[in-house]
């Protein structure tokens, strides 16, 4: 047994005891927490001489070796700085506070504030010892990855950091309170900060452990990028990235949970003990989904801003709470430690009663309700008989009313234009030139108004809340308008509100089980939510089996701002199936709304067994003009490839809903096509007879399906799954996998994926530097390294599914999918299992218990498909970034003899050719500029030097190019500045199988037939 030694000038290493010591110590000693948690001190020598130092750089190093050496130097320097910061926390703050007399902070409080700092220091002191030896021998070994794995994969490191992170909010709260109540403590912090060289505060030092692992990850990512394949350190670096990412994810989740608890506690303190909301908040059943400081605005009925005030808005899992923010305390304290505000609850509302309204939606959503304008004391009644004529618009909504007025005026002017065309005489200011200019001017004003409405929606969150009934008992709704800090915030609020409501449905209460140490706990707030279940085929008369599904992302610029935030990933879902030995069927679902809907259905010659989506070249690649051979081989449009039971391969255009079949072909020997994959050079088809047919691309970007393909012999068993990597193609046959070179199509290596011969490989899915595989029998999934083909991990899925179906051990994996750090596993029992995997370039090892869905199918999960789309970048532009709606031709550039080509070349943006072109005449009424009213002209008139306006005739008109479609004109203007913007991804996962089943113990039996093919769609919050 190690004995604890008194502190001296030497450093100590903390080692966790294998047997937990009893927590009987009640001493207030600053070291007592070590004994309580089972940590013991082991003295080591002074570490100052052990600081790692890189020697002079040898000659003859390759460029990659030089870069790796520099990265190692960065690791050494950053670690030295980090350890120095930890020492400062103890030497400059903790030790003086413990030894100070009289004490400004009790020993017990010192324990709380500096909890686990010394243990973290000792962990990194040990790491420095090992790092020193590695640095000394770097030029001979060049290995660092295994050191990170050995140092940071220990449970002790996770325990120490977890306890520190969980305690961080409490420590900061205690420091804040001490600053407010003890002037001596505040003065101590200020003096320590001023005496330090870098003026870093105690908070700035104590936040460093939370930031440490993300820094390590960035350094190791750089090291991995400069480590070639086959290098002895490459696999170790990938494993190190996995360990660090897993550790960082766990710490981030714990920090988020700790912050959530702190926010809810702070909110609970601001509510009266007797109020109903206090009981709800104190029950422990509330999850905080989102909280942010928003600006509440109040407008008059004329659209004038009356007042605005900041509010803290809390979105809980079942209610929305708005509070006033009350900052109290000395301002100087906020420079030392973040000051949390006190909240005063202004109102709260149950989520099902909260509605998001965009500009122009008022009349359609609540024509028969009363609307109260907050703080004005006015009630605006909108009886159904008068709702279309007496609408109430608050602030920006008046823009929509003005747009309707312009539409009515345009209809009148168009009638006037028709009358003018019937005139027999010729008049200077009454001709078709003038009339057409009026029409164009009104159309321009309408487009400007549409742009103003679009901008108003970007950062304006308008909520309709339930109010108290009026004297007659009629329901009254209250309109609240918030201004969000940016469009990203608005999107997040609308999306989270939408999904939080869906999460309250019966099938999602609960929707997932989280097995953790044989206990059932609540699923995290980010878990996928079942948003829809729908029949897979429009015709239920035929018993059609599901075969495959694939998502074709197609962006719709017609969607409104809120529709983008609440809809499924934009595009179309192609679902194929049929009857074995008979015909096949393809259904196309539109995902541009909150629920899928069938837009097209057509038959094919045989049952659909597989599908593949192949994208087109991006606009940036086309515009750059830098075409590689791979770029030139991409098809001119995105396509969907289908493989059929009769050996047919069909290629369809994925955008045209006419479902034009672009190419057809037959496999060699008419063998059933079991799987399809594409590479830059080939379209690969895995066939029933154990061969892979490789169809080469033609110069047009498509494949010559009629020509004889290159046939790659894999084995005698069917090729059930294919996987294309950067430079290789993996093909399964039985329990073995053969690796082919992607360019030469020569077999490089064959390895055994499962020890049992009858266990055929049925699914392969890549993530990071690993490939997960599922098999035709058994309940396990196995992980292999993409470079060394080494078997790295095996997981038994049956241990997870027993939480949904107790006692069921014979489970088979029928589908596999990886997306956004989650491995989705579908089973033959209809159960879906989610397992966390790293997202970075490391090894995608499963690092947690995962989750089990309580919503599934009555039979095997036939497929899992991901629908992923990126929202249009222009949605992220705030009002300040919006380009003014400039006229295509400015007055100063206009000349009577200008030609259309000249005007286009001077004023057209790069993507101008996307617009529809039409030549229309424009006329400027300069002689009427002194009259009252808005100048009705396409362009502003320049001021003339003289008082008299010149005479104009019909021949003085100029050419103007306009887009007939306002949506193209307003919303599809490309902006080069958007290229660097952060993307917003919308993600949904689709499972297909027989029927629908809820595995909850009190779940009701499904109303639909258990034999109907059904699609279940899960959606996750937008990834911002």
């Amino acid at each position: 047994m190690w004995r604890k030694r008194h502190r001296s000038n030497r450093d100590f290493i903390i080692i966790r005891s294998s047997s937990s010591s009893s927590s009987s110590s009640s001493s207030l000693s600053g070291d007592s927490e070590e004994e309580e948690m089972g940590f013991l001190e082991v003295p080591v020598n002074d570490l100052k001489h052990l600081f790692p130092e890189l020697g002079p750089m040898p000659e003859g190093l390759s460029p990659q070796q030089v870069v790796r050496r520099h990265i190692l130097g960065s690791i050494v320097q950053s670690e030295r700085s980090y350890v120095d910061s930890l020492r400062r926390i103890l030497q400059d703050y903790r030790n003086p506070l413990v030894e100070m007399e009289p004490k400004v902070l009790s020993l017990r409080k010192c324990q709380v504030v500096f909890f686990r700092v010394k243990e973290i220091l000792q962990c990194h002191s040990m790491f420095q010892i090992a790092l020193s030896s590695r640095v000394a021998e770097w030029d001979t070994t060049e290995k660092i990855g295994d050191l990170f794995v050995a140092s940071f994969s220990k449970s002790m490191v996770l325990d120490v950091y977890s306890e520190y992170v969980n305690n961080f909010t409490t420590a900061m709260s205690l420091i804040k309170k001490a600053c407010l109540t003890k002037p001596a403590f505040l003065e101590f912090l200020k003096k320590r900060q001023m005496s330090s060289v870098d003026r870093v505060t105690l908070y700035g030092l104590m936040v460093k452990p939370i930031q440490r692992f993300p820094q390590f990850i960035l350094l190791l990512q750089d090291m991995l990028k400069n480590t070639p394949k086959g290098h002895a350190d490459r696999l170790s670096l990938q494993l190190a990235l996995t360990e660090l990412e897993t550790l960082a994810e766990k710490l981030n989740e714990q920090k988020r949970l700790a912050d959530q608890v702190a926010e809810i506690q702070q909110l609970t303190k601001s509510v009266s003990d007797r109020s109903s909301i206090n009981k709800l908040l104190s029950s422990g059943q509330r999850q905080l989904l989102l909280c942010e400081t928003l600006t509440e605005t109040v407008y008059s009925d004329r659209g004038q801003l009356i007042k605005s005030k900041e509010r803290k808005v809390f979105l809980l899992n079942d209610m929305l709470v708005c509070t006033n923010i009350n900052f109290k305390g000395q301002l100087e304290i906020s420079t030392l430690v973040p000051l949390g505000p006190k909240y005063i609850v202004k109102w709260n509302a149950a989520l099902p009663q909260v509605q998001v309204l965009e500009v122009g939606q008022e009349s359609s959503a609540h024509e028969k309700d009363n609307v109260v304008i907050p703080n004005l004391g006015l009630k605006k009644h909108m009886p159904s008989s008068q709702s279309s004529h007496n609408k109430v618009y608050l602030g920006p909504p008046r823009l929509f009313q003005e747009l309707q007025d312009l539409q009515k005026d345009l209809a009148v002017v168009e009638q006037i234009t028709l009358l003018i065309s019937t005139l027999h005489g010729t008049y200077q200011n009454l001709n078709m030139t003038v009339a057409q200019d009026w029409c164009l001017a009104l159309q321009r004003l309408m487009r400007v108004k549409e742009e103003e409405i679009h901008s108003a929606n970007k950062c304006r969150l308008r909520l309709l809340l339930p109010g108290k009934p009026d004297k007659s008992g009629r329901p009254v709704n209250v309109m609240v308008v918030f201004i969000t800090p940016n469009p990203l915030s608005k999107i997040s609020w609308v999306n989270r509100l939408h999904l939080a409501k869906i999460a309250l449905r019966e099938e999602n209460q609960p929707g997932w089980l989280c097995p953790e140490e044989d206990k059932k706990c609540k699923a995290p707030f980010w878990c996928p939510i079942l948003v829809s279940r729908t029949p897979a085929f429009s015709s239920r008369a035929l018993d059609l089996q599901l075969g495959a599904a694939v998502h074709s992302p197609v962006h719709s610029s017609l969607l409104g701002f809120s529709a983008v935030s609440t809809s499924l990933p934009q595009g179309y879902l192609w679902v194929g199936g049929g009857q074995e030995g008979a015909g096949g069927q393809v259904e196309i679902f539109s995902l541009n709304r909150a629920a899928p809907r069938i837009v097209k259905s057509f038959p094919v010659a045989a049952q659909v067994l597989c599908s593949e989506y192949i994208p087109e070249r991006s606009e940036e690649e086309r515009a750059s003009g830098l075409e590689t051979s791979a770029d030139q081989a991409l098809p001119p449009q995105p396509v969907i490839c289908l493989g059929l039971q009769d050996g047919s391969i069909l290629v369809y255009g994925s955008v045209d809903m006419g479902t034009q079949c672009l190419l057809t072909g037959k496999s060699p020997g008419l063998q059933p096509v079991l799987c399809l994959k594409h590479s830059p050079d080939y379209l690969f088809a895995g066939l029933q007879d154990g061969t892979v047919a490789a169809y080469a691309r033609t110069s047009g970007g498509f494949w010559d399906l009629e020509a004889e393909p290159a046939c790659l012999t894999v084995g005698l068993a069917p090729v059930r799954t294919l996987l294309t990597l950067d430079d290789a193609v993996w093909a399964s046959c039985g329990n073995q996998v053969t690796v082919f070179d992607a360019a030469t199509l020569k077999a490089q290596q064959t390895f055994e994926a499962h020890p049992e011969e009858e266990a055929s490989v049925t699914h392969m899915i890549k993530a990071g530097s690993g490939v997960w595989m599922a098999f035709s029998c058994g309940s396990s999934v196995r992980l292999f390294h993409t470079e060394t083909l080494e078997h790295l991990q095996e997981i038994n899925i049956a241990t997870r599914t027993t939480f949904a179906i107790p006692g069921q051990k014979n489970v088979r994996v029928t589908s596999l999918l990886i997306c956004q750090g989650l491995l989705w596993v579908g089973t033959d029992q209809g159960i879906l299992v989610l397992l966390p995997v790293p997202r970075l370039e490391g090894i995608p090892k499963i690092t947690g218990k995962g989750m089990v869905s309580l919503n599934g199918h009555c039979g095997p999960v036939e497929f899992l498909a991901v629908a992923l789309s990126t929202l249009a970048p222009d949605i992220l532009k705030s009002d300040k970034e919006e380009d003014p709606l400039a006229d295509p031709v400015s007055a100063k550039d206009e000349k009577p003899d200008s030609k259309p080509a000249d005007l286009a070349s001077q004023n057209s943006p790069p993507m101008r050719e996307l617009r529809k072109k039409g030549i229309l005449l424009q006329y400027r009424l300069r002689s009427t500029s002194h009259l009252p009213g808005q100048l009705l002209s396409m362009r502003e008139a320049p001021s003339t030097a003289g008082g008299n306006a010149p005479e104009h005739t019909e021949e003085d008109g100029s050419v103007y190019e306009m887009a007939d479609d306002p949506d193209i004109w307003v919303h599809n203007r490309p902006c080069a500045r958007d290229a660097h913007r952060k993307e917003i991804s919308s993600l949904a996962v689709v499972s297909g199988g027989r029927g629908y089943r809820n595995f909850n113990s009190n779940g009701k039996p499904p109303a639909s037939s258990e034999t109907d093919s059904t699609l279940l769609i899960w959606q996750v919050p937008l990834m911002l």
Side-chain angles (χ1 to χ4, degrees):
M1 182 82 180
W2 291 99
R3 254 184 101 181
K4 188 169 173 184
R5 303 189 53 174
H6 293 288
R7 182 181 294 103
S8 65
N9 292 329
R10 292 182 294 176
D11 294 305
F12 292 83
I13 298 297
I14 303 300
I15 295 181
R16 184 146 195 177
S17 173
S18 58
S19 59
S20 60
S21 56
S22 61
S23 57
S24 58
S25 172
S26 58
S27 169
L28 294 181
S29 168
D31 302 324
S32 63
E33 75 273 13
E34 296 157 12
E35 295 173 327
E36 294 173 2
M37 298 305 297
F39 287 94
L40 301 174
E41 286 187 352
V42 180
V44 294
N45 294 327
D46 196 333
L47 297 175
K48 291 184 179 179
H49 67 281
L50 291 175
F51 276 144
E53 292 288 348
L54 264 174
M57 186 179 300
E59 297 181 358
L61 297 182
S62 68
Q64 276 191 329
Q65 287 178 308
V66 173
V67 173
R68 282 170 53 82
R69 215 171 186 278
H70 285 309
I71 296 171
L72 178 64
S74 299
I75 293 174
V76 170
Q77 182 60 38
S78 66
E79 183 65 11
R80 181 181 301 176
S81 173
Y82 178 59
V83 170
D84 180 62
S85 297
L86 295 174
R87 291 182 186 277
R88 285 172 58 184
I89 294 175
L90 297 178
Q91 295 174 1
D92 296 351
Y93 289 93
R94 178 188 180 275
N95 294 348
L97 284 171
V98 170
E99 299 168 359
M100 188 179 296
E101 293 293 344
K103 296 191 181 302
V104 296
L105 202 64
S106 69
L107 291 177
R108 175 61 69 182
K109 290 182 178 178
C110 282
Q111 275 188 320
V112 175
V113 170
F114 302 104
F115 188 61
R116 293 291 174 240
V117 174
K118 187 162 60 171
E119 288 77 9
I120 292 176
L121 172 60
Q122 301 302 341
C123 287
H124 285 267
S125 297
M126 294 177 69
F127 176 64
Q128 270 199 334
I129 296 173
L131 186 61
S132 297
S133 62
R134 285 304 173 89
V135 169
E137 59 189 24
W138 175 259
D139 293 319
T140 57
T141 61
E142 285 196 17
K143 290 191 68 176
I144 192 73
D146 57 337
L147 174 59
F148 277 91
V149 174
S151 300
F152 298 110
S153 62
K154 300 173 183 176
S155 61
M156 183 185 74
V157 177
L158 176 61
D159 292 342
V160 169
Y161 267 95
S162 296
E163 290 164 1
Y164 179 85
V165 168
N166 293 340
N167 181 69
F168 184 79
T169 304
T170 303
M172 293 301 106
S173 176
L174 197 152
I175 292 175
K176 180 190 70 174
K177 186 175 181 180
C179 288
L180 294 172
T181 57
K182 298 184 177 182
F185 179 72
L186 176 60
E187 189 64 24
F188 170 79
L189 293 184
K190 291 168 65 176
K191 286 183 178 180
R192 289 293 174 179
Q193 180 197 1
M194 296 305 296
S195 63
S196 64
V197 177
D198 52 11
R199 299 292 193 272
V200 176
T201 64
L202 175 60
Y203 172 79
L205 293 172
M206 293 190 67
V207 81
K208 288 182 181 291
I210 298 176
Q211 302 167 340
R212 187 58 187 146
F213 290 108
Q215 294 168 351
F216 270 152
I217 288 172
L218 292 175
L219 290 168
L220 288 191
Q221 281 181 313
D222 288 340
M223 185 71 85
L224 182 60
K225 289 177 183 176
N226 291 278
T227 303
K229 290 183 179 180
H231 193 285
D233 200 28
R234 187 166 173 85
L235 178 57
S236 298
L237 283 172
Q238 292 168 338
L239 289 170
L241 261 181
T242 298
E243 294 293 345
L244 292 176
E245 182 186 355
T246 302
L247 189 57
E249 285 288 340
K250 290 179 178 178
L251 295 178
N252 286 341
E253 181 67 9
Q254 291 178 359
K255 180 68 166 61
R256 187 196 65 77
L257 291 174
D259 291 344
Q260 170 183 310
V261 171
E263 286 283 6
I264 293 181
Q265 288 177 348
Q266 186 72 20
L267 180 61
T268 306
K269 291 177 182 178
S270 64
V271 182
S272 170
D273 294 338
R274 298 181 179 179
S275 66
S276 58
I277 186 176
N278 183 280
K279 297 178 181 178
L280 293 174
L281 293 173
S282 304
S283 65
Q285 301 299 314
R286 300 294 172 279
Q287 282 185 298
L288 181 63
L289 306 184
L290 187 63
C291 67
E292 192 175 15
T293 300
L294 307 178
T295 303
E296 183 180 1
T297 57
V298 179
Y299 297 89
S300 69
D301 56 353
R302 294 186 177 183
Q304 296 174 330
L305 180 64
I306 297 178
K307 67 175 183 177
S308 64
K309 189 172 183 179
E310 286 190 342
R311 311 283 191 200
K312 190 66 173 284
V313 185
F314 297 82
L315 174 60
L316 305 178
N317 56 300
D318 61 352
M319 74 169 74
L320 190 68
V321 182
C322 177
T323 65
N324 288 331
I325 305 175
N326 185 18
F327 280 97
K328 288 185 179 180
Q330 304 175 38
L331 293 177
E332 60 180 342
I333 298 177
S334 62
T335 63
L336 299 173
V337 60
L339 280 177
K342 293 184 177 180
Y343 304 124
I344 302 174
V345 175
K346 184 175 173 63
W347 52 261
N348 66 281
L351 277 191
Q353 299 174 321
V354 179
Q355 295 194 36
V356 178
L357 287 185
E358 295 290 18
V359 174
Q361 290 183 344
E362 295 83 353
S363 59
S364 61
H366 286 274
E367 289 182 349
K368 299 181 180 181
D369 293 337
N370 296 337
V371 177
V372 172
I373 306 173
N375 302 320
L376 293 182
L378 300 176
K379 292 184 180 180
K380 301 296 181 180
H381 300 274
M382 295 191 292
S384 57
S385 59
Q386 301 177 357
S387 60
S388 59
H389 303 289
N390 301 318
K391 296 172 186 172
V392 176
Y393 296 96
L394 310 180
R398 182 170 290 277
L399 297 171
F400 192 77
Q401 188 177 30
E402 293 171 354
L403 177 62
Q404 289 183 320
D405 292 341
L406 287 172
Q407 291 171 338
K408 294 176 182 177
D409 292 345
L410 178 61
V412 173
V413 172
E414 287 174 342
Q415 293 178 0
I416 295 174
T417 303
L418 291 176
L419 293 174
I420 290 176
S421 65
T422 62
L423 293 175
H424 297 284
T426 301
Y427 308 95
Q428 179 179 346
N429 286 338
L430 191 61
N431 50 49
M432 287 300 295
T433 301
V434 176
Q436 288 178 343
D437 186 57
W438 288 344
C439 292
L440 286 175
L442 284 169
Q443 288 172 344
R444 177 186 181 275
L445 291 175
M446 288 170 58
R447 294 186 191 110
V448 172
K449 199 63 62 179
E450 287 175 345
E451 184 74 7
E452 290 175 358
I453 292 173
H454 185 61
S455 297
N457 279 337
K458 282 189 173 182
C459 294
R460 190 162 278 105
L461 181 65
R462 306 173 68 245
L463 303 178
L464 203 60
L465 309 174
K468 295 181 180 180
D470 59 11
K471 294 181 180 179
S472 63
R474 297 184 63 196
V476 175
N477 289 311
V478 179
M479 179 77 72
V480 181
V481 182
F482 293 108
I483 304 298
T484 62
N486 49 60
L488 199 63
S489 172
K490 161 71 179 295
I491 291 174
S492 180
W493 275 100
V494 176
N495 178 256
R496 294 292 173 87
L497 277 166
H498 171 71
L499 292 181
K501 289 183 184 181
I502 296 177
L504 294 176
R505 295 175 182 172
E506 184 179 2
E507 61 266 27
N508 290 317
Q509 291 291 318
W512 297 87
L513 284 181
C514 297
E516 185 175 351
E517 297 179 0
D518 299 329
K519 296 180 181 179
K520 298 177 181 178
C521 62
K522 290 189 299 183
F525 77 104
W526 50 260
C527 70
I529 298 170
L530 181 66
V531 297
S532 174
R533 58 179 191 263
T534 185
F537 297 105
S538 54
S539 173
R540 299 191 183 183
L542 301 175
D543 183 21
L544 300 177
Q545 300 176 5
L546 287 169
V550 67
H551 177 245
S552 170
V554 179
H555 293 289
S556 172
S557 60
L558 299 176
L559 290 183
F561 196 74
S562 277
V564 167
S565 306
T566 58
S567 72
L568 295 166
Q570 295 183 44
Y572 298 94
L573 181 70
W574 289 54
V575 178
Q579 291 178 307
E580 190 171 355
Q585 185 78 8
V586 175
E587 306 279 346
I588 303 178
F589 293 82
S590 171
L591 302 183
N592 292 335
R593 294 294 181 267
R597 58 188 178 90
I598 294 180
V599 294
K600 185 75 175 181
S601 177
F602 61 92
V604 290
Q607 182 181 2
V608 178
L609 301 181
C610 57
S611 59
E612 174 80 341
Y613 171 75
I614 303 177
E616 64 177 336
R617 291 182 61 197
S618 64
E619 294 291 340
E620 292 78 8
E621 291 172 339
R622 291 181 179 181
S624 66
L626 301 175
E627 295 186 353
T628 64
S629 58
D631 295 333
Q632 292 172 348
L634 287 173
Q637 67 183 73
V639 295
I640 301 288
C641 299
L642 302 178
L644 307 188
Q645 178 76 38
D646 65 354
S648 299
I649 299 177
L650 309 179
V651 179
Y652 292 88
S654 66
V655 178
D656 182 14
M657 284 301 98
T659 59
Q660 177 187 5
C661 188
L662 305 176
L663 293 173
T664 60
K666 294 287 186 179
S667 65
L670 301 181
Q671 289 291 319
V673 181
L674 304 184
C675 50
L676 288 169
K677 288 293 178 182
H678 76 280
S679 72
D681 300 316
Y682 294 95
L683 175 65
F684 297 99
L687 305 181
Q688 180 78 36
D689 62 355
T691 61
V692 175
Y695 297 88
R697 288 189 187 270
T698 63
S699 58
F702 286 113
W703 307 268
D704 189 357
L705 299 183
E706 297 180 357
E708 191 69 22
C711 290
L712 315 178
T713 301
V714 185
L716 300 177
V719 177
R720 296 197 179 187
T721 180
L722 292 168
L723 181 66
T724 53
L725 305 180
D726 293 336
D727 54 359
V729 179
W730 290 22
S732 74
C733 185
N735 66 334
Q736 295 185 330
V737 174
T738 301
V739 180
F740 294 92
D741 184 273
T744 64
L745 303 184
K746 292 182 179 180
Q748 296 178 324
Q749 193 172 351
T750 299
F751 66 95
E752 187 178 83
H754 199 283
E756 300 177 9
E757 291 186 5
E758 62 273 14
S760 300
V761 181
T762 56
H763 298 85
M764 294 189 294
I765 191 77
K766 177 184 178 295
S769 300
V771 175
W772 278 102
M773 297 186 188
F775 304 90
S776 59
C777 62
S779 57
S780 66
V781 290
R782 306 181 117 216
L783 173 65
F784 293 85
H785 191 220
T786 56
E787 298 169 16
T788 65
L789 309 183
E790 183 181 345
H791 176 216
L792 301 175
Q793 191 179 22
E794 183 168 0
I795 297 293
N796 186 4
I797 300 300
T799 58
R800 272 77 174 175
T801 59
T802 53
F803 286 90
I805 306 181
Q808 181 61 255
K809 296 182 179 179
N810 298 322
V811 177
R812 182 170 56 89
V813 177
T814 58
S815 52
L816 216 55
L817 175 71
I818 282 185
C819 61
Q820 300 299 325
L822 292 173
L823 174 64
W824 292 68
V825 182
T827 68
D828 60 342
Q829 305 294 326
I831 300 175
L832 289 102
V833 178
L834 251 63
L835 299 167
V837 292
R839 305 186 187 199
L840 302 180
E841 308 93 312
I843 305 300
K845 293 174 62 178
I846 292 173
T847 54
K849 298 286 186 179
M851 300 187 295
V852 178
S853 175
L854 291 178
N855 295 294
H857 297 278
C858 302
V861 181
E862 300 293 348
F863 62 74
L864 287 166
V866 61
L868 179 66
S869 69
T870 301
L871 303 190
D874 64 337
I875 292 178
L876 291 177
K877 294 171 65 177
S878 61
D879 295 343
K880 295 180 181 179
E881 298 170 307
E882 290 289 342
D883 295 332
L885 203 60
D887 297 327
V889 184
S890 60
K892 63 182 180 181
D893 295 334
E894 183 183 352
K895 297 179 182 179
D897 58 349
S898 296
K899 298 180 181 180
D902 296 333
L903 294 172
S905 63
Q906 293 173 11
N907 300 282
S908 296
M911 302 295 290
R912 191 63 166 270
E913 61 272 13
L914 295 177
R915 301 184 186 172
K916 301 176 183 178
K917 295 185 178 181
I919 297 178
L920 296 175
L921 294 176
Q922 180 269 347
Y923 191 81
R924 186 175 294 104
L925 302 179
R926 293 189 177 88
S927 58
T928 62
S929 60
H930 64 282
L931 296 176
Q934 198 168 11
L935 180 63
L936 199 60
S937 175
M938 270 305 293
R939 273 153 288 173
E940 295 292 333
S943 58
T944 55
N948 299 325
E951 297 273 351
H952 292 279
T953 63
E954 185 174 329
E955 287 73 27
D956 288 335
S958 62
V959 176
Y960 172 69
E961 176 194 45
M962 69 169 264
D964 298 325
D965 182 1
D967 188 74
I968 294 177
W969 206 89
V970 174
H971 301 299
N972 271 10
R973 293 177 298 157
C975 180
R977 293 177 298 178
D978 290 333
H980 67 278
R981 291 192 178 278
K982 186 178 180 180
E983 293 182 344
I984 304 177
S985 297
S986 176
L987 173 71
V989 172
V990 184
S991 72
R994 293 288 187 182
Y996 162 74
R997 179 180 177 186
N998 188 287
F999 294 95
N1000 203 342
S1001 56
N1002 56 357
K1004 298 179 181 179
S1008 61
S1009 171
E1010 294 186 357
T1011 61
D1012 290 339
S1013 294
T1014 304
L1015 301 180
L1016 303 182
I1017 301 181
W1018 282 267
Q1019 196 170 357
V1020 297
L1022 287 176
M1023 287 152 283
L1024 306 175

